[in-house]
Amino acid sequence: MASYNLSHLKQLEAESIHIMREVAAEFDNPVMMYSIGKDSSVMLDLAAKAFAPGKIPFPLLHVDTQWKFQDMYRFREKVAQRYDVDLKVWINPEGKDVVGPFSHGSEKHTQIMKTDALKQALDHYGFDAAFGGARRDEEKSRAKERVYSFRNKFHQWDPKNQRPELWNLYNAKVDKGESIRVFPLSNWTELDIWLYLMRGDVPIVPLYFAAERPVVERDGVLIMLDDDRFPLLEGEVPMKKKVRFRTLGCYPLTGAVESEAETIEEIVQEMLLTTTSERQGRVIDSDGAGSMEEKKKDGYF
Amino acid sequence: MSDQEYRIQDEDLIRDDITAYLRKHETKDLLRLLTCGSVDDGKSTMIGRLLYDAKMIYEDQLAAVTRDSKVHGTTGGDFDPALLTDGLKAEREQGITIDVAYRYFSTDRRKFIIADCPGHEQYTRNMATGASTADLAIILIDARHGVVTQTKRHSFICSLLGIKHVAVAINKLDLVDWSEEVYEQIRDDYNAFVSRLGFSDIHFFPICALHGDNVVEPSDNLPWYDGATLLHHMESVNIASDRNLIDMRFPVQYVMRPNLDFRGFSGTVASGVVRAGDKVMSLPSRQTSKVKSVLLNGDVIDEAFAPMAVTLTLEDEIDVSRGDMLAPVGNVPTIGNEIEAMVVWMHEKPAMQGRSYLIKQATSLVPGVLTDLRYKMDVNNLRKEAGEADSLQLNEFGRCHITLHRPIAFDPYDRNRGTGSFIIIDRLSNITVGAGMIIDRVVREDSLGPKSKNIAEARGTVRRQDRENMLGQSGHTVWLTGLSGSGKSTIAYEIERQLTAAGRLCIVLDGDNVRHGLNRDLGFSADDRTENIRRIAEVARLMNGTGVIAIASFISPYIKDRQDAREIIGADHFMEVHIDTSLEVCEARDPKGLYKKVRAGEIPQFTGITAPYEAPDSPELKLATESLSAEDCARAVVAMLDDEGVLGADDQ
């Protein structure tokens, strides 16, 4: 007799698909935030499964800061074709071709080109639900976030006033102008993501794998010179190092790690044997304890 | 956590054969659990210890916590493992966990999702949230304090939410000198009250979370303990048999229509197994068809079972849409719009009888009215609270009747979590204000409600208040209880005389006159006595509803029966009066010659002699007839009614 047991990964998949179908059924105008990262890749692949043999019934939205890695832009176009999905790209018109991390600093750049841009895009298209690929294990303040995370008209999150969430019954009721951020990967961990990707067939940006890349070391962080907008400081000499990225964002704000890992197995091996957590590479989190929480209250994903 | 060197789980295997390691992890299963304990039981410490000992903490996280320990820690600057888990800034500063947080860790056998629930008693709501998806509950007890009210409360909530497996972690054993006696005493205390809660297994673990004893590794400090460690138990507890694989239920989530040739119904199997060829009925329409194919991720598979998310196609073009449920012909759920449920309230604005809400159950979203709040549940002892409940406050549990605008398909929660649960949404604020678990109506406690499902309470436009205003008094029941011959009837009729003289409308319901009419089919067995009291209480309630004061004079020997009467009538309208006359005096008075007959063996069951009399613990009034005249006793009752405002504002 069959045992009728599902592995943890199959259970997570089923849960994510359930959440996506709920959103597609209950909201008027949902969208999937697409960051081009590995979690986004998994989320998108699950969406394709959820609605097969049909098409994904909502568009993808990429909030483009204009400072992503070139590899990411190439990958984005390939993926939109592969999944036959409507990809929308939004660049904050107020900051377009003006604001950047070098001219305005990382904090202002992120605020204008990422947080503000996201809010603009959601308002512009009138999306009432937006999927995000965040996981609860990523960061402490995320541990308490709901799968359906309510945002007011100003896209703000109120951690003290969250809707209770029981069983797999999600409350999709919002008034006009309000929205829900939906996190279908809430219960996945970093290892789960890699285990899913390891089964093959789901493409991820090549930057996750180690290769010789031009980098400089700044404040102890290895930054890749991805285009000619990178102003070298006096005495700074680019060097070739075999590096990979654990997370992807704006290239001047994303630290690389030296690595030999060229396959997913090797990445996982390296990840398990290293002793620092994933977000360490992101400059944005180290502003202070609770910094992510502050950003999220303000509408950051 | 004095030893803060960093270790990695399975380090050798990862280094030598990463593929084997990953294969092991790909096939592990999933356990969802919740942890509950009072504020200082060491819950966060225990979770921190599990994460740390299972090597799920990265070095930089450890460094950050060590740094934070000096600022926020409660350990005098030493490493505070609770900081590994306390998420939000505000909480960290207050030193308490105020919301459910989810933690993740795994071994090569299982992935664990921990719902970390705060211990404060006002956060029942969070516990219910965490418990709703949990298979196992870890209940923490501080060995110095033993089983306390909160331990019971947490256990009851787990039981109400349908958790089957409980692990009781008796913590801080180091502070009681690793005493086996203390451990055993707590174990026995816990077992004593938990027996009726329906847990299928309970295990006990002596631990010290702070130093890690018996959490992940066995401890030399506990030579008398030869059981498993807490983590070992978490890895091995068998939850497979908890699942309902019998009753196939498929709530339709989404209708898939990619092209004219394909029409599929997507959803998550809530319970049971579904295969191609199965005859299914769509509910509530009751149209039938056969499953044509089962698709997973667009690919045809043989069968699907809970909790798989699949798509079904059917042989026939029957009408199926979101909110409908597919079930096997011959094993269908209940279909109806009347629901009995245990509801937990989750919002500051209380639940009000008569108010309309949105009810989300499975994939249905239906407006419904909270038609009756039958009683509240005291989660400190899992007993019904006395009295009429007309509102349910934040963090309270109550038994409710809900009338939906449309019928839905459902099962009792204890048989099917997926189709027996619902959330309650406020129609104005859109907030989730409550959650409910559907109760099978044939259960014994349902006897307080109407037996037929088809009796809807007729509601006219004239209110009780209108009738009471007409009479200038409030409907109220004076319930006199006491031994035979204690003087109940004499006092009852004296009360009636005094009230009538004062111009108040009242009537005596007396053991003898009721038994000759309404209850002439009843004898004196315990069951018949219970039914006797129930009927009298219903009559008194109807009378009170007209504004009339009922004076019920019955031996009513059982506390439980008088409690039921109080519930039926409503605590606000109920005055229990104990006519406290000793058995010797009653027997000496023997006004009807009954005691003589009992002593002669002519009456088999007689209260006070061959059958018990349970005196009230705290009656509203206790009258010692041996030192008071009947007139004085009656005056005391009338005065109390006046104090309660029953007799209106007029002069008597």
Side-chain angles (χ1 to χ4, degrees):
Chain A
M1 200 190 125
S3 64
Y4 298 121
N5 281 321
L6 280 189
S7 72
H8 80 288
L9 206 55
K10 294 254 163 72
Q11 288 193 48
L12 292 175
E13 272 187 55
E15 180 183 77
S16 302
I17 288 172
H18 177 86
I19 292 164
M20 290 178 185
R21 287 169 172 172
E22 276 301 283
V23 170
E26 290 205 308
F27 287 89
D28 293 330
N29 191 15
V31 67
M32 180 167 278
M33 303 302 300
Y34 182 65
S35 77
I36 324 181
K38 65 180 195 311
D39 303 84
S40 269
S41 286
V42 171
M43 180 165 67
L44 179 57
D45 196 63
L46 289 168
K49 286 181 174 177
F51 300 99
K55 275 174 40 171
I56 296 172
F58 38 74
L60 294 190
L61 173 67
H62 179 226
V63 175
D64 185 3
T65 61
Q66 297 186 298
W67 287 86
K68 303 295 177 189
F69 291 89
Q70 292 309 308
D71 257 4
M72 292 171 73
Y73 291 115
R74 284 189 285 274
F75 186 83
R76 183 181 76 186
E77 302 313 315
K78 246 173 46 192
V79 158
Q81 273 184 359
R82 175 191 160 104
Y83 289 101
D84 188 17
V85 65
D86 173 18
L87 170 74
K88 297 184 189 304
V89 175
W90 183 268
I91 301 170
N92 184 346
E94 292 160 31
K96 192 177 180 190
D97 302 330
V98 178
V99 175
F102 296 114
S103 50
H104 293 75
S106 72
E107 203 167 318
K108 207 170 228 172
H109 167 73
T110 305
Q111 178 67 38
I112 294 171
M113 298 308 285
K114 202 167 171 177
T115 309
D116 292 352
L118 170 64
K119 293 192 250 183
Q120 282 171 354
L122 295 176
D123 288 342
H124 176 82
Y125 294 106
F127 294 126
D128 53 358
F131 292 103
R135 294 175 276 110
R136 289 199 187 114
D137 82 323
E138 273 179 75
E139 198 268 338
K140 274 201 286 188
S141 80
R142 292 226 195 261
K144 311 204 165 187
E145 182 139 284
R146 305 294 192 258
V147 172
Y148 273 38
S149 181
F150 176 81
R151 302 301 159 106
N152 66 14
K153 283 190 174 65
F154 309 104
H155 306 284
Q156 287 158 328
W157 180 60
D158 181 357
K160 281 220 158 87
N161 212 358
Q162 302 195 78
R163 294 176 177 181
E165 207 160 72
L166 296 95
W167 300 289
N168 61 355
L169 298 172
Y170 302 103
N171 176 354
K173 299 300 286 181
V174 290
D175 286 334
K176 203 169 160 47
E178 298 168 344
S179 62
I180 303 273
R181 302 277 171 92
V182 182
F183 301 105
L185 305 182
S186 285
N187 286 326
W188 293 58
T189 61
E190 164 108 41
L191 181 59
D192 298 328
I193 295 285
W194 288 115
L195 286 169
Y196 185 89
L197 292 169
M198 208 180 65
R199 297 197 303 209
D201 211 32
V202 182
I204 54 172
V205 183
L207 293 163
Y208 284 110
F209 301 103
E212 296 275 337
R213 296 184 170 99
V215 293
V216 295
E217 187 174 330
R218 240 179 224 186
D219 304 327
V221 183
L222 291 176
I223 304 290
M224 178 175 162
L225 278 72
D226 195 53
D227 58 35
D228 51 17
R229 291 180 292 177
F230 193 101
L232 287 172
L233 300 178
E234 217 179 283
E236 250 179 4
V237 184
M239 47 192 168
K240 284 263 179 186
K241 272 187 190 283
K242 191 160 185 186
V243 295
R244 64 179 181 88
F245 295 86
R246 297 169 67 179
T247 62
L248 296 179
C250 294
Y251 83 84
L253 302 177
T254 309
V257 290
E258 289 192 73
S259 166
E260 294 294 326
E262 293 177 6
T263 64
I264 289 180
E265 281 82 352
E266 286 166 3
I267 291 174
V268 176
Q269 186 174 37
E270 222 175 69
M271 179 188 96
L272 292 171
L273 295 175
T274 57
T275 53
T276 51
S277 64
E278 182 187 3
R279 298 191 73 89
Q280 190 80 331
R282 284 198 189 173
V283 179
I284 184 172
D285 272 356
S286 50
D287 293 358
S291 65
M292 180 63 89
E293 186 183 332
E294 298 302 327
K295 287 198 172 67
K296 270 166 23 126
K297 278 189 194 165
D298 192 39
Y300 184 75
F301 238 91
Chain B
M1 285 217 184
S2 47
D3 52 335
Q4 284 167 47
E5 95 276 20
Y6 185 77
R7 290 166 300 175
I8 295 163
Q9 186 188 348
D10 269 351
E11 184 164 352
D12 294 341
L13 185 61
I14 294 168
R15 218 177 282 284
D16 301 339
D17 191 351
I18 182 68
T19 315
Y21 174 89
L22 291 172
R23 205 174 305 122
K24 255 174 42 176
H25 278 266
E26 210 193 340
T27 53
K28 68 195 171 191
D29 67 5
L30 178 64
L31 182 84
R32 295 176 197 253
L33 65 145
L34 112 141
T35 53
C36 23
S38 306
V39 182
D40 296 318
D41 287 347
K43 193 162 49 67
S44 297
T45 310
M46 187 198 66
I47 295 170
R49 172 54 69 181
L50 278 168
L51 298 180
Y52 178 76
D53 279 9
K55 292 100 182 172
M56 298 304 289
I57 307 293
Y58 288 108
E59 201 171 60
D60 59 326
Q61 290 176 327
L62 206 56
V65 166
T66 308
R67 196 173 56 236
D68 282 1
S69 298
K70 295 190 169 40
V71 186
H72 303 290
T74 54
T75 48
D78 285 345
F79 182 71
D80 184 353
L83 293 178
L84 283 169
T85 57
D86 285 354
L88 300 181
K89 208 172 165 183
E91 301 166 21
R92 214 186 303 167
E93 278 155 16
Q94 289 161 24
I96 50 156
T97 319
I98 55 169
D99 205 337
V100 192
Y102 294 88
R103 319 282 171 203
Y104 304 84
F105 80 102
S106 64
T107 64
D108 56 10
R109 297 185 61 179
R110 265 188 177 155
K111 164 171 173 150
F112 299 99
I113 301 180
I114 304 180
D116 180 7
C117 298
H120 277 256
E121 77 179 68
Q122 61 268 42
Y123 296 119
T124 295
R125 144 179 106 157
N126 296 327
M127 244 210 78
T129 301
S132 72
T133 50
D135 307 300
L136 166 78
I138 298 181
I139 294 184
L140 264 125
I141 296 178
D142 186 327
R144 294 170 301 172
H145 308 312
V147 174
V148 296
T149 304
Q150 287 211 25
T151 315
K152 295 184 180 176
R153 170 190 291 265
H154 294 152
S155 304
F156 289 132
I157 295 171
C158 290
S159 155
L160 287 169
L161 270 292
I163 291 180
K164 296 280 174 243
H165 308 274
V166 169
V168 182
I170 301 170
N171 191 22
K172 306 193 185 181
L173 256 279
D174 56 324
L175 300 181
V176 294
D177 296 326
W178 309 100
S179 160
E180 183 177 11
E181 286 71 34
V182 171
Y183 165 78
E184 284 180 346
Q185 182 63 49
I186 293 172
R187 186 190 61 196
D188 294 347
D189 288 350
Y190 190 83
N191 275 330
F193 89 90
V194 86
S195 58
R196 62 204 175 94
L197 297 190
F199 296 132
S200 66
D201 75 76
I202 304 169
H203 287 84
F204 297 87
F205 301 88
I207 65 165
C208 167
L210 191 63
H211 305 300
D213 298 79
N214 205 32
V215 177
V216 173
E217 304 291 342
S219 167
D220 293 338
N221 293 314
L222 299 162
W224 45 266
Y225 177 80
D226 56 6
T229 64
L230 183 60
L231 180 65
H232 185 266
H233 180 69
M234 288 162 60
E235 278 189 306
S236 55
V237 59
N238 176 21
I239 52 165
S241 56
D242 299 350
R243 296 170 309 160
N244 178 339
L245 289 171
I246 298 164
D247 311 309
M248 199 288 282
R249 301 286 184 260
F250 188 78
V252 175
Q253 250 191 313
Y254 189 83
V255 179
M256 197 87 69
R257 258 245 85 169
N259 56 60
L260 290 176
D261 302 327
F262 188 91
R263 184 159 167 264
F265 306 102
S266 300
T268 302
V269 184
S271 57
V273 183
V274 60
R275 297 177 190 88
D278 284 354
K279 282 175 90 170
V280 290
M281 183 180 273
S282 173
L283 303 164
S285 79
R286 294 188 163 275
Q287 294 183 67
T288 60
S289 182
K290 258 188 194 168
V291 176
K292 189 171 162 191
S293 62
V294 182
L295 287 94
L296 176 68
N297 310 334
D299 304 320
V300 174
I301 54 170
D302 294 338
E303 57 182 12
F305 53 92
M308 288 169 73
V310 294
T311 299
L312 305 181
T313 61
L314 300 180
E315 297 280 2
D316 310 281
E317 283 266 323
I318 62 170
D319 181 29
V320 180
S321 51
R322 177 177 164 88
D324 293 348
M325 192 182 293
L326 299 176
V329 174
N331 175 5
V332 295
T334 309
I335 300 138
N337 62 343
E338 303 288 340
I339 289 178
E340 284 286 326
M342 187 58 68
V343 166
V344 54
W345 203 250
M346 307 186 135
H347 198 263
E348 287 80 8
K349 208 168 96 187
M352 300 301 283
Q353 196 159 300
R355 187 168 289 167
S356 172
Y357 298 93
L358 284 174
I359 306 296
K360 187 170 184 185
Q361 174 260 0
T363 55
S364 318
L365 186 67
V366 184
V369 176
L370 215 176
T371 30
D372 194 8
L373 241 165
R374 298 199 189 279
Y375 55 82
K376 288 185 192 180
M377 190 69 111
D378 182 343
V379 287
N380 290 330
N381 56 24
L382 209 61
R383 286 185 209 286
K384 297 173 192 176
E385 269 182 27
E388 210 167 86
D390 46 19
S391 72
L392 202 57
Q393 310 286 329
L394 174 65
N395 292 318
E396 288 183 338
F397 278 84
R399 168 76 179 269
C400 299
H401 187 95
I402 294 170
T403 304
L404 302 172
H405 287 206
R406 293 195 301 276
I408 58 166
F410 61 88
D411 294 287
Y413 184 75
D414 61 8
R415 189 161 174 87
N416 205 319
R417 260 183 174 183
T419 57
S421 55
F422 59 89
I423 56 171
I424 304 172
I425 300 169
D426 187 88
R427 303 187 73 164
L428 208 61
S429 69
N430 292 331
I431 291 171
T432 305
V433 288
M437 292 136 289
I438 298 172
I439 293 168
D440 202 343
R441 303 147 198 263
V442 295
V443 295
R444 158 74 181 88
E445 63 174 337
D446 214 331
S447 60
L448 277 178
K451 277 202 173 140
S452 164
K453 298 171 187 179
N454 302 320
I455 299 176
E457 239 174 283
R459 289 193 184 269
T461 53
V462 178
R463 296 168 308 146
R464 173 179 183 145
Q465 185 75 49
D466 301 328
R467 290 190 260 270
E468 290 180 335
N469 288 346
M470 249 164 76
L471 293 176
Q473 65 181 46
S474 306
H476 212 86
T477 297
V478 178
W479 192 281
L480 307 179
T481 173
L483 294 169
S484 177
S486 60
K488 295 185 299 297
S489 291
T490 312
I491 295 168
Y493 286 108
E494 179 57 22
I495 297 169
E496 185 184 50
R497 195 193 63 74
Q498 289 185 14
L499 284 175
T500 307
R504 306 300 168 204
L505 193 54
C506 63
I507 187 167
V508 170
L509 299 170
D510 172 279
D512 290 329
N513 69 29
V514 171
R515 279 190 174 276
H516 290 143
L518 179 66
N519 291 353
R520 70 179 169 206
D521 54 329
L522 301 176
F524 290 88
S525 68
D527 277 358
D528 279 1
R529 281 180 187 276
T530 297
E531 176 60 12
N532 180 46
I533 298 303
R534 188 191 70 78
R535 289 186 197 175
I536 292 157
E538 289 288 357
V539 170
R541 186 176 69 93
L542 290 172
M543 296 230 168
N544 289 169
T546 67
V548 170
I549 298 163
I551 305 149
S553 163
F554 298 93
I555 298 173
S556 46
Y558 302 118
I559 289 174
K560 168 85 174 60
D561 290 349
R562 296 193 301 266
Q563 183 68 24
D564 284 349
R566 187 185 288 268
E567 277 183 37
I568 290 167
I569 292 162
D572 293 347
H573 314 295
F574 189 87
M575 182 195 291
E576 186 176 19
V577 180
H578 182 201
I579 310 300
D580 187 19
T581 310
S582 69
L583 183 62
E584 294 72 38
V585 174
C586 290
E587 190 163 357
R589 287 183 191 162
D590 203 9
K592 296 177 198 162
L594 293 172
Y595 285 92
K596 228 174 239 133
K597 287 187 184 172
V598 176
R599 296 298 181 196
E602 290 167 37
I603 302 176
Q605 287 194 306
F606 195 81
T607 301
I609 297 178
T610 48
Y613 177 79
E614 299 169 2
D617 284 338
S618 48
E620 274 79 9
L621 194 61
K622 187 169 174 170
L623 297 172
T625 61
E626 288 157 51
S627 56
L628 285 172
S629 68
E631 289 76 19
D632 289 342
C633 289
R635 256 193 292 278
V637 171
V638 172
M640 194 158 193
L641 286 173
D642 198 20
D643 287 347
E644 292 285 310
V646 172
L647 306 181
D650 300 356
D651 289 329
Q652 284 196 50

